[in-house]
Amino acid sequence: MPPQTMSAKTDATIGVNGTAKSTSNQAPPPMALPANLKSDLLNKLSLKSFKLKTKQQELLLRVSILFLVYVLAFITRLFSVLRYESMIHEFDPYFNYRTTLFLTEKGFYEFWNWFDYESWYPLGRIVGGTLYPGLMVTAALIYWGLRFLRFAVHIREVCVLTAPFFASNTTLVAYFFGKEIWDSSAGLVAAALIAICPGYISRSVAGSYDNEGVAIFALLLTFYLFVKAVNTGSLTWSLASAFGYFYMVSAWGGYVFIINLIPLYVLVLLITGRYSVRLYIAYNCMYVLGMLLAMQIRFVGFQHVQSGEHMAAMGVFFLMQVFYFLDWVKYLLSDKRLFETFLRITVTTTVGLAAVALGVGTASGYISPWTGRFYSLLDPTYAKDHIPIIASVSEHQPTAWSSFMFDFHILLFLFPAGLYFCFKRLTDATIFIVMYGLTSMYFAGVMVRLILVATPAVCLISAIAVSATVKNLAQLLRTKSKVTQGGSSKAASGSKASSKALLDQSQPFQRNGAIALLLGVFYLLSKYATHCTWVTSEAYSSPSIVLAARGAHGNKVIFDDYREAYFWLQQNTPTDAKVMSWWDYGYQITAMANRTVIVDNNTWNNTHIATVGRAMSSYEDEAYEIMRELDVGYVLVVFGGVTGYSSDDINKFLWMVRIGGGVFPVIKEPDYLVNGEYRVDKGAAPKMLNCLMYKLCYYRFGELMTEYGKPPGFDRARGVEIGNKDIKLEHLEEAFTTSNWIVRIYKVKPPNNRW
Amino acid sequence: MGLGLGVMRTIEFLLLIIAILSAPVLSDLILSKVERRIDLTSQIARIASTIKAENDGSSSVSEILLSIPEVQAKNLAYLTAKLVEGKGKAKTSGVALAVEPANPKGMPPALSFYTMILPKPLANGDSVTLDVLAAFTHSLRPFPEKITQADIQLVVFQDTAHYLSPYPVKVQSLTLKLPDARIESYTKLENTKGLGSEIKYGPYENLPPFSYSPVAIHFEANQAFAVARELVREIEISHWGNVQVTEHYDIVHGGAMSKGEFSRLDYQSKPQIRGASAFKHLVAKLPPRAHSIYYRDAIGNISTSHVRGDSKKTEILIEPRYPLFGGWKTAFTIGYGLPLQDFVFESEGKRFLNFSFGSPMHDLVTDSITLKVVLPEGSKYLSVSTPFVVQQEEEIKMSHLDIFGRPVVVLKKANVVPEHNQFFQVYYQFNALAMLMEPFMLITGIFFLFVTCIIYVHVDLSISKSSASYLAKLQWDDVRATVQQIQNTVNQCLSTHEKLEASLRDLSRTGDVQACKAARKATDGLLKELSKELKPLISFLQSSPPAAHILPKVEELVAKERELQERLMAKHSTIVDSYEKKLGGRETENRVASVQQKIVALRQDIEDLMEYIDEI
């Protein structure tokens, strides 16, 4: 009987492969078998018909995943627009916005030659020569492009969305980079990881219109193109990387990282004996062209060949030539001993020449020494002792462990795993990513804001870890299932499966283990996704111009005091009024209030800032003299005592004292402290209680009831009752105070008539 | 304080009086009764006069002259006259009269004249009653001119107690309505009465033409002195169903300038006393069904506004970023969308927009208004009809997806008060098909984008056609195509194998040996053809150098396939054979078992190889 034959046959097949597996071998009822078999066959048939398209399927999947990641990277950065509005955030972006506006209105040449007399009064600032124009030019080009295509957008919208747009582009670069150093699946994972990594989002949310927004894209692009150039040895790619470098130089001061990391990488390759003509072509082309291009940026100019930070690249460039020359000589000279002598002579002369050149250059001042910022990167304690203005910025503080955890989450654990995989498969490309990862991790530890630079490397390396692990586990599962289907073929299958076969024998519950591990990986990744979304929406999407708090009934309360004050200044003061404030608010005042400021966030002149610091920490009479000298019309202070807003001028005051005291020894920090303690209540130092800053912040504050059950004049930001409630101003008068007292503006009175 | 103000002003008035006294008397018209009511409760001085005129002469009179001192005339924002019909309580103000500036001869130079043209001439002995409404801006002068935050705001209003007219007036009276607050002082003449917030002058009888008796009222006025120095209203019509209105305001507090400190503490604790002269908010009455309302300024959104709406209106309360004290300025933009069918209508093949002219803000004086009506691209034959004289221009605006730009009608007017909130019409012709132009453009744009992509993919863009790498690439492409072909052929072979297997299954079901043999023959032929096809492909691969590294794999694939073919044939013959011999199932199984095992293994190998080749 035919059915019998069938069942017997199937039985036999199962018997053959059933030896390997005991679980799937629970004999099904014989009656059901033919049907089972048929469906199995059908499956196989349909699989066959799909088989032709596997490649296209894979391509389709890859492209759609990339597209989704691209979109995701963009939309996750729009929280701030939804929560608040389409606006520019924080401090520096306001300067960038103002310059972009200038660029789009007046054109490139006006922009390039712009002398801004509205800041650093009375010195002014040569804006065209002291900024990195990449960001503004990019935004302006996008703006002009859209205008050309007849989309009547406002330049503000373009500026707000520039950073998310470039973040999306970064995911593409991350994909290609990952593909270059590992494989395309690692690239996909890298793209997905970097799309939502908080370390990157912190600087690229909509509205955060800052250099870093495009610079990370440029940085990663340059690295990718360089690695590609090293891998292919093609002039085209190295040329492309030179242009990538040019874009980076035009966008951000962080290009110094590239110009030091790449030589370091080349040096490591040379030392580890991985020198090749590919490397020679890639580095020389990239360095020479990149240097020439970078020198076109006015802010960089001849620094690129003269300053200490760029010397390493030049040194490696010459070293490359010597290396090549020696290689050539070695090829010509067949005698080994002769070559060794030659080698000794050449190396000695080269090193001698280099040392002499460096010495003479440094001594004559032709080669400028390292800047303070560079020093503070190499030695984290340097800034604290020598440059208070760098140390005073919160984003220049050393990074706490918690913020690593906050910004990287699971990547922090995946990073070492990825390094392990990289070391397991050392190639020129993986060496590069390892070096990038390790150096940037060090810098991230030195300064909070450099976490940003480390983020792409961490994402890429973690992506390698995730992708390699998942791939191994998935292959394990797939071979297993194949084995159950394909029967005895396992033994015959070639070397490819042999390692798995080995594992197979050693671990009986391997399949379950793999499933469990896979589930674990997906659990971790989904945790990462939720963490990133949470961080983005809660921590990194606040514009910091508008403050939001929860009211007593859980409703959202908005403190829009900054804009209130800036708009008041813009509308109700003479157009040529000079406003004195601490430098943090300089950019915002020039951009939003359109008034001249004494100092701003471009902290190029320490003495000028110190003068303002001195005025703020002097008695009113002395401060009045300084203000008269600076032609100050209005003084603006930020005060959080009413709302409990803690980053106000009273909390920043010690830095003013320090920076002021650094230039003017009249100001001494101990005068403002009591037993080394900084206080504003009754026990405060007398100088503190009567200095200008204290008076301006607390003027008439003593009469105000801020909190129920507390005496009048209770400072909610510091939780104390203030020490000087009877403040009289002699040379200044209150001109405006915002509704929540966050910004207070005082008018400087003209001098009294002498008669 | 009191009446010792502006010496200049007094001199002006004196000159005026001298000028007036030397003026001649005009026509035979007599004003038998003049009642004037001046409303000073807001910053706009509104003078409503009821004038009864009688023709006392012989010839009929067709126009009546109104005279206003030039000092006031420059602040005149609005002037209308209406004929009153009926008597007593049934009085209704009817036809509006045309009022035009006039320049009659022999009149004193310090007066401005306007003529009201009567619909039908006034015959001898006939009388007519007129309602004249005039609104003046900036005529309440703050005095003192500078006050501190704690001070109240006092203003002075000056006018004449006697109606200034080129005609003799029989009976007249004047009533001034002041805001409900302190009155500092006022000029006391005969027959002057102060009743709470009202001051009454008159009645005065039988006064000659150009009688003049200056009065000044000094009183407290703390209402909002909101003056829009400039207002730009942009009304953009989209025939997709929306009328978008955008209004840019540039507002100043037009009252007494503030001096000294602004103390937030004082203002917070006692806003009514220590900030009496300031205003905190403005109210705008928008049309009903206004939607997507926004309120922002140059530096961003302003979160302090409230919208209330019902079926008759939408009311929006706007709080500027800070309270406005005297002389303080602010600027902002409000915008809202309105349903198209409420404002754009069609008649006689023409479309027209029917929209109100002035600002929707309550009690706002606008020094200069610019109204821009942006019509959809492709609108033609524009014409405007306004209830009063405005300056008119046309321009072009480039907006989203415009090629030629949208035609814009620009209307300009100075000194606008809420009385100007009357409807005006803009007529134009617009073809509804033009609406589809923009979507069509978008579609074409995207279409061309894809076409470019397709072209880019298919066009060979390499510069040097003879370079080694280019040639290598071409060769490699050939190799890939060949490998693809080989794979296809192998796949065909495999599917042929399936057919063979199927025939075996049929055999076991039906026992039809002949059919099975026929199937065998057919597949044999097919397979032979396929292997013939494979031969040139393999030989091509062997000859091409870039294929060197995959050649062994491909060869292996082909060899395995051939082996598989042989085994299958063997299996097939065995089974058919055993069927013919009528052997039992078990026995057949045993005979085939080893071959079957081999076949499965070979299949697996072929699959692996295909995958491997795929990955290359």
Side-chain angles (χ1 to χ4, degrees):
Chain A
M1 273 164 85
Q4 248 181 357
T5 354
M6 274 312 275
S7 61
K9 204 171 109 190
T10 12
D11 262 346
T13 18
I14 284 176
V16 171
N17 56 17
T19 45
K21 199 83 201 178
S22 54
T23 45
S24 71
N25 205 11
Q26 270 141 26
M31 283 308 284
L33 263 178
N36 253 2
L37 204 98
K38 239 175 212 166
S39 66
D40 209 343
L41 275 168
L42 273 174
N43 273 346
K44 256 192 180 171
L45 269 175
S46 58
L47 260 178
K48 278 267 156 63
S49 54
F50 272 123
K51 190 105 196 181
L52 277 176
K53 298 180 202 151
T54 340
K55 223 159 187 175
Q56 283 129 312
Q57 265 184 335
E58 196 251 340
L59 184 74
L60 184 71
L61 259 178
R62 200 148 31 109
V63 170
S64 44
I65 290 174
L66 258 187
F67 176 72
L68 285 177
V69 167
Y70 192 87
V71 173
L72 173 74
F74 192 81
I75 57 174
T76 192
R77 286 165 167 81
L78 298 184
F79 270 113
S80 60
V81 174
L82 298 180
R83 290 272 164 85
Y84 297 89
E85 59 183 279
S86 162
M87 67 185 293
I88 307 288
H89 291 190
E90 307 218 308
F91 304 101
D92 288 16
Y94 270 96
F95 170 74
N96 300 330
Y97 176 58
R98 179 168 161 246
T99 46
T100 313
L101 208 62
F102 188 91
L103 172 61
T104 51
E105 277 167 6
K106 304 258 172 84
F108 188 73
Y109 286 102
E110 283 277 309
F111 171 71
W112 208 229
N113 296 319
W114 184 13
F115 182 80
D116 178 20
Y117 50 84
E118 283 197 1
S119 52
W120 294 94
Y121 184 84
L123 309 170
R125 174 182 174 190
I126 308 157
V127 174
T130 56
L131 53 51
Y132 293 102
L135 178 73
M136 299 92 193
V137 172
T138 308
L141 284 178
I142 295 175
Y143 174 70
W144 286 325
L146 286 174
R147 283 263 154 178
F148 176 74
L149 293 174
R150 292 280 182 267
F151 290 102
V153 290
H154 192 278
I155 181 70
R156 187 190 56 246
E157 316 297 343
V158 175
C159 292
V160 164
L161 296 180
T162 298
F165 173 61
F166 271 86
S168 289
N169 294 341
T170 309
T171 61
L172 287 191
V173 179
Y175 164 71
F176 286 111
F177 203 177
K179 197 175 159 189
E180 192 62 33
I181 52 177
W182 201 258
D183 56 15
S184 62
S185 43
L188 278 183
V189 179
L193 289 182
I194 203 168
I196 56 171
C197 187
Y200 185 24
I201 284 183
S202 67
R203 290 312 181 112
S204 63
V205 292
S208 155
Y209 179 57
D210 211 347
N211 291 336
E212 289 94 326
V214 296
I216 291 306
F217 166 77
L219 178 91
L220 205 59
L221 184 70
T222 313
F223 283 155
Y224 161 64
L225 292 171
F226 184 73
V227 167
K228 187 96 185 170
V230 171
N231 277 351
T232 55
S234 126
L235 267 178
T236 324
W237 287 111
S238 42
L239 182 68
S241 82
F243 275 104
Y245 177 64
F246 172 56
Y247 187 52
M248 177 69 189
V249 176
S250 77
W252 194 35
Y255 77 88
V256 176
F257 178 60
I258 297 186
I259 205 61
N260 283 299
L261 177 65
I262 286 183
L264 187 66
Y265 164 65
V266 172
L267 200 65
V268 167
L269 286 195
L270 287 186
I271 289 167
T272 49
R274 284 174 167 271
Y275 169 80
S276 62
V277 186
R278 289 178 286 115
L279 184 69
Y280 182 81
I281 291 172
Y283 183 70
N284 284 332
C285 175
M286 190 265 166
Y287 176 67
V288 174
L289 282 171
M291 175 180 71
L292 288 176
L293 287 169
M295 286 167 74
Q296 309 308 310
I297 303 297
R298 276 175 68 196
F299 197 21
V300 178
F302 277 92
Q303 267 184 50
H304 208 285
V305 284
Q306 287 187 353
S307 92
E309 291 105 336
H310 302 82
M311 282 302 128
M314 192 183 275
V316 169
F317 173 70
F318 286 123
L319 187 67
M320 277 296 257
Q321 312 312 321
V322 172
F323 212 87
Y324 190 75
F325 176 68
L326 285 176
D327 228 29
W328 181 62
V329 171
K330 194 179 177 185
Y331 167 74
L332 285 187
L333 294 176
S334 42
D335 190 357
K336 210 174 176 192
R337 284 183 62 190
L338 206 63
F339 174 69
E340 267 172 16
T341 339
F342 182 77
L343 181 73
R344 212 165 296 140
I345 294 167
T346 332
V347 168
T348 330
T349 33
T350 326
V351 170
L353 271 178
V356 168
L358 203 67
V360 169
T362 318
S364 65
Y366 188 77
I367 297 173
S368 62
W370 288 350
T371 59
R373 273 167 202 261
F374 199 73
Y375 265 124
S376 61
L377 275 181
L378 300 181
D379 174 12
T381 56
Y382 180 82
K384 213 168 188 179
D385 303 334
H386 297 91
I387 328 169
I389 200 143
I390 290 181
S392 75
V393 181
S394 64
E395 60 185 23
H396 291 167
Q397 305 303 318
T399 318
W401 265 109
S402 58
S403 52
F404 269 120
M405 196 58 212
F406 198 65
D407 278 356
F408 288 142
H409 200 238
I410 59 162
L411 304 188
L412 211 54
F413 305 110
L414 291 173
F415 181 67
L419 284 183
Y420 160 76
F421 279 106
C422 287
F423 274 114
K424 234 175 95 177
R425 195 169 104 183
L426 271 187
T427 59
D428 289 355
T430 47
I431 290 179
F432 182 83
I433 195 68
V434 165
M435 287 188 57
Y436 174 25
L438 292 178
T439 47
S440 61
M441 268 310 230
Y442 166 74
F443 290 127
V446 174
M447 259 190 205
V448 175
R449 74 163 177 169
L450 292 182
I451 282 189
L452 180 72
V453 176
T455 305
V458 171
C459 285
L460 278 163
I461 292 174
S462 309
I464 290 173
V466 171
S467 156
T469 315
V470 170
K471 203 171 207 172
N472 284 348
L473 293 175
Q475 251 168 14
L476 226 60
L477 282 183
R478 274 171 65 197
T479 41
K480 263 296 170 190
S481 48
K482 237 183 224 167
V483 165
T484 44
Q485 268 177 20
S488 63
S489 67
K490 196 199 77 198
S493 66
S495 56
K496 211 177 112 190
S498 66
S499 58
K500 281 156 242 154
L502 212 130
L503 274 171
D504 228 7
Q505 286 151 10
S506 59
Q507 296 173 351
F509 298 111
Q510 192 196 24
R511 194 189 151 123
N512 293 341
I515 291 176
L517 278 176
L518 266 183
L519 285 180
V521 169
F522 287 121
Y523 175 73
L524 275 183
L525 287 177
S526 60
K527 271 281 153 204
Y528 173 70
T530 47
H531 170 83
C532 291
T533 316
W534 176 76
V535 167
T536 311
S537 80
E538 294 297 317
Y540 289 143
S541 292
S542 162
S544 93
I545 286 282
V546 182
L547 313 165
R550 293 249 172 266
H553 309 292
N555 52 331
K556 195 171 165 187
V557 183
I558 292 219
F559 298 121
D560 203 357
D561 287 40
Y562 280 108
R563 289 195 294 187
E564 183 182 340
Y566 295 147
F567 203 65
W568 184 87
L569 270 178
Q570 189 197 85
Q571 294 285 325
N572 298 306
T573 57
T575 43
D576 60 347
K578 282 92 197 170
V579 182
M580 182 173 91
S581 72
W582 191 233
W583 60 266
D584 294 21
Y585 317 108
Y587 277 164
Q588 293 180 347
I589 294 173
T590 38
M592 279 195 270
N594 201 14
R595 291 292 175 270
T596 308
V597 293
I598 307 296
V599 291
D600 66 25
N601 309 44
N602 176 257
T603 51
W604 66 275
N605 190 327
N606 193 35
T607 315
H608 217 48
I609 291 179
T611 311
V612 172
R614 184 185 171 187
M616 293 294 191
S617 37
S618 307
Y619 292 124
E620 197 186 343
D621 296 347
E622 297 154 26
Y624 185 63
E625 289 300 311
I626 299 171
M627 291 190 292
R628 292 287 304 162
E629 278 165 21
L630 290 174
D631 202 7
V632 171
Y634 292 85
V635 184
L636 181 147
V637 293
V638 170
F639 171 61
V642 177
T643 46
Y645 172 58
S646 62
S647 55
D648 66 351
D649 278 348
I650 290 288
N651 282 356
K652 287 174 187 169
F653 183 59
L654 271 192
W655 286 111
M656 301 181 204
V657 173
R658 269 174 217 157
I659 292 169
V663 176
F664 304 102
V666 201
I667 307 294
K668 293 182 200 71
E669 193 179 334
D671 289 352
Y672 299 86
L673 304 174
V674 177
N675 302 327
E677 207 184 337
Y678 180 61
R679 13 191 338 184
V680 295
D681 57 359
K682 279 211 174 58
K687 181 131 198 200
M688 177 73 206
L689 288 178
N690 288 296
C691 70
L692 185 71
M693 179 52 79
Y694 191 94
K695 279 180 144 188
L696 296 188
C697 283
Y698 291 121
Y699 177 65
R700 298 200 68 186
F701 181 68
E703 301 165 43
L704 185 75
M705 289 286 291
T706 52
E707 213 166 308
Y708 182 74
K710 292 280 197 290
F714 179 77
D715 184 332
R716 293 177 70 187
R718 282 150 287 271
V720 290
E721 188 187 347
I722 59 164
N724 183 358
K725 288 189 183 176
D726 183 35
I727 295 171
K728 293 270 180 293
L729 289 173
E730 193 186 336
H731 302 292
L732 295 119
E733 63 178 17
E734 189 179 355
F736 186 71
T737 297
T738 57
S739 45
N740 299 301
W741 292 54
I742 289 179
V743 184
R744 309 195 69 179
I745 300 169
Y746 291 85
K747 190 176 178 206
V748 182
K749 288 191 208 163
N752 286 332
N753 278 337
R754 248 173 262 189
W755 314 110
Chain B
M1 290 205 237
L3 297 176
L5 20 121
V7 182
M8 280 303 292
R9 200 90 194 257
T10 325
I11 292 171
E12 261 171 44
F13 274 94
L14 282 173
L15 285 174
L16 183 77
I17 293 162
I18 295 162
I20 289 167
L21 290 176
S22 61
V25 181
L26 197 84
S27 76
D28 310 321
L29 214 59
I30 290 175
L31 304 186
S32 53
K33 196 178 177 193
V34 174
E35 252 176 59
R36 283 191 299 152
R37 294 168 304 280
I38 304 183
D39 182 0
L40 298 176
T41 50
S42 73
Q43 57 164 331
I44 302 162
R46 293 184 172 90
I47 306 183
S49 339
T50 312
I51 300 168
K52 192 173 178 193
E54 253 177 48
N55 191 354
D56 207 22
S58 48
S59 57
S60 63
V61 176
S62 62
E63 40 180 62
I64 302 176
L65 280 178
L66 283 176
S67 61
I68 296 168
E70 216 146 67
V71 207
Q72 283 186 354
K74 69 174 197 285
N75 291 331
L76 178 71
Y78 185 75
L79 179 64
T80 54
K82 277 175 185 166
L83 219 51
V84 180
E85 282 151 3
K87 287 260 150 74
K89 287 205 167 171
K91 265 201 280 190
T92 48
S93 50
V95 198
L97 301 180
V99 183
E100 280 164 12
N103 206 0
K105 276 175 199 152
M107 288 292 162
L111 290 179
S112 297
F113 286 91
Y114 295 86
T115 65
M116 299 181 285
I117 298 147
L118 297 173
K120 56 173 191 262
L122 205 60
N124 185 12
D126 279 1
S127 72
V128 68
T129 310
L130 300 167
D131 263 345
V132 178
L133 176 70
F136 296 89
T137 57
H138 303 291
S139 46
L140 302 184
R141 286 162 33 97
F143 186 84
E145 288 181 338
K146 284 189 176 178
I147 55 172
T148 64
Q149 185 185 354
D151 293 339
I152 54 166
Q153 179 171 270
L154 297 168
V155 294
V156 170
F157 179 76
Q158 290 177 314
D159 204 355
T160 158
H162 301 161
Y163 183 59
L164 188 60
S165 166
Y167 311 109
V169 184
K170 271 189 185 161
V171 182
Q172 62 169 305
S173 66
L174 168 67
T175 315
L176 288 129
K177 174 104 182 63
L178 305 181
D180 212 1
R182 194 148 65 103
I183 299 167
E184 194 78 9
S185 69
Y186 58 91
T187 312
K188 293 194 175 74
L189 303 171
E190 47 165 342
N191 279 344
T192 308
K193 265 183 282 180
L195 284 169
S197 62
E198 269 193 6
I199 298 168
K200 245 187 162 159
Y201 288 95
Y204 303 109
E205 284 171 18
N206 291 331
L207 289 172
F210 299 115
S211 298
Y212 189 82
S213 158
V215 289
I217 297 102
H218 193 201
F219 60 98
E220 178 184 343
N222 280 328
Q223 64 272 28
F225 269 63
V227 177
R229 290 181 298 171
E230 205 177 341
L231 165 60
V232 179
R233 296 184 87 197
E234 193 180 271
I235 300 154
E236 187 158 358
I237 298 169
S238 156
H239 278 279
W240 290 97
N242 193 31
V243 175
Q244 181 67 36
V245 185
T246 316
E247 300 174 353
H248 305 277
Y249 288 90
D250 194 353
I251 295 226
V252 68
H253 185 301
M257 303 290 276
S258 77
K259 65 174 183 192
E261 286 197 337
F262 163 69
S263 168
R264 173 65 69 170
L265 182 73
D266 290 344
Y267 182 74
Q268 249 170 6
S269 51
K270 296 166 215 146
Q272 296 310 319
I273 303 163
R274 302 296 175 106
S277 63
F279 66 90
K280 229 186 132 168
H281 50 71
L282 295 162
V283 179
K285 207 173 113 185
L286 309 181
R289 288 184 292 283
H291 59 88
S292 332
I293 301 171
Y294 65 84
Y295 167 43
R296 57 170 298 134
D297 60 22
I299 60 173
N301 182 51
I302 309 169
S303 52
T304 44
S305 60
H306 306 278
V307 175
R308 254 197 326 268
D310 55 35
S311 62
K312 292 206 183 90
K313 62 176 190 301
T314 311
E315 208 171 67
I316 169 168
L317 186 136
I318 284 174
E319 245 178 74
R321 289 190 187 272
Y322 40 85
L324 272 98
F325 282 86
W328 284 18
K329 293 169 213 147
T330 190
F332 57 83
T333 302
I334 60 172
Y336 46 94
L338 297 168
L340 182 79
Q341 67 270 17
D342 291 4
F343 297 95
V344 176
F345 308 94
E346 216 171 339
S347 78
E348 295 160 18
K350 278 200 143 190
R351 294 163 198 264
F352 68 94
L353 169 84
N354 190 33
F355 209 80
S356 76
F357 186 83
S359 149
M361 293 278 176
H362 188 65
D363 258 342
L364 181 78
V365 167
T366 313
D367 284 349
S368 144
I369 187 171
T370 308
L371 207 122
K372 296 182 176 179
V373 180
V374 183
L375 300 168
E377 197 177 22
S379 305
K380 281 171 287 192
Y381 312 115
L382 320 180
S383 61
V384 183
S385 116
T386 49
F388 34 80
V389 183
V390 295
Q391 196 189 330
Q392 194 178 325
E393 287 165 27
E394 269 184 40
E395 56 182 44
I396 296 285
K397 185 194 174 187
M398 297 301 269
S399 187
H400 291 294
L401 299 173
D402 283 349
I403 297 174
F404 314 110
R406 308 179 181 194
V408 182
V409 175
V410 184
L411 308 175
K412 282 183 183 165
K413 183 164 169 51
N415 223 355
V416 176
V417 290
E419 275 76 7
H420 285 110
N421 275 4
Q422 299 172 17
F423 285 98
F424 70 97
Q425 290 80 32
V426 177
Y427 294 88
Y428 61 99
Q429 275 187 5
F430 177 72
N431 187 352
L433 275 181
M435 271 164 65
L436 296 175
M437 197 163 95
E438 288 174 1
F440 179 72
M441 264 171 61
L442 273 184
I443 291 166
T444 348
I446 291 167
F447 175 73
F448 277 109
L449 185 72
F450 279 108
V451 166
T452 340
C453 287
I454 290 169
I455 291 173
Y456 175 77
V457 169
H458 286 270
V459 165
D460 188 359
L461 286 174
S462 55
I463 300 167
S464 149
K465 306 275 184 206
S466 56
S467 76
S469 64
Y470 178 72
L471 291 178
K473 196 178 147 261
L474 280 190
Q475 275 182 342
W476 179 238
D477 281 346
D478 282 348
V479 167
R480 273 175 55 183
T482 321
V483 170
Q484 191 66 43
Q485 269 177 320
I486 292 175
Q487 277 185 319
N488 284 348
T489 324
V490 170
N491 274 321
Q492 275 175 5
C493 288
L494 289 179
S495 57
T496 323
H497 298 167
E498 285 301 329
K499 273 184 205 155
L500 208 60
E501 293 269 16
S503 76
L504 276 184
R505 278 197 296 279
D506 281 345
L507 176 67
S508 65
R509 210 175 57 227
T510 58
D512 187 351
V513 180
Q514 288 314 311
C516 189
K517 273 185 179 167
R520 165 80 183 266
K521 207 167 245 172
T523 45
D524 265 352
L526 253 177
L527 285 174
K528 232 167 237 160
E529 257 175 49
L530 287 175
S531 61
K532 230 182 253 167
E533 271 177 38
L534 273 178
K535 243 172 222 157
L537 296 176
I538 298 283
S539 58
F540 170 78
L541 278 192
Q542 277 161 346
S543 66
S544 127
H549 67 288
I550 51 167
L551 186 60
K553 287 286 172 186
V554 174
E555 278 176 341
E556 195 186 340
L557 175 70
V558 173
K560 292 259 170 156
E561 197 275 329
R562 190 147 299 153
E563 199 184 339
L564 176 64
Q565 209 170 307
E566 280 160 17
R567 301 282 167 162
L568 266 176
M569 293 302 169
K571 178 185 162 191
H572 195 267
S573 343
T574 322
I575 292 181
V576 170
D577 189 41
S578 51
Y579 248 90
E580 282 176 334
K581 286 179 185 162
K582 302 258 186 308
L583 286 175
R586 179 70 60 183
E587 208 170 321
T588 320
E589 213 43 69
N590 288 342
R591 285 176 67 182
V592 177
S594 62
V595 185
Q596 180 66 30
Q597 214 168 315
K598 201 79 194 173
I599 288 173
V600 171
L602 278 172
R603 280 236 173 90
Q604 186 62 41
D605 282 357
I606 288 173
E607 229 170 79
D608 284 350
L609 277 172
M610 293 277 258
E611 241 173 59
Y612 180 81
I613 292 170
D614 254 343
E615 270 166 31
I616 295 169

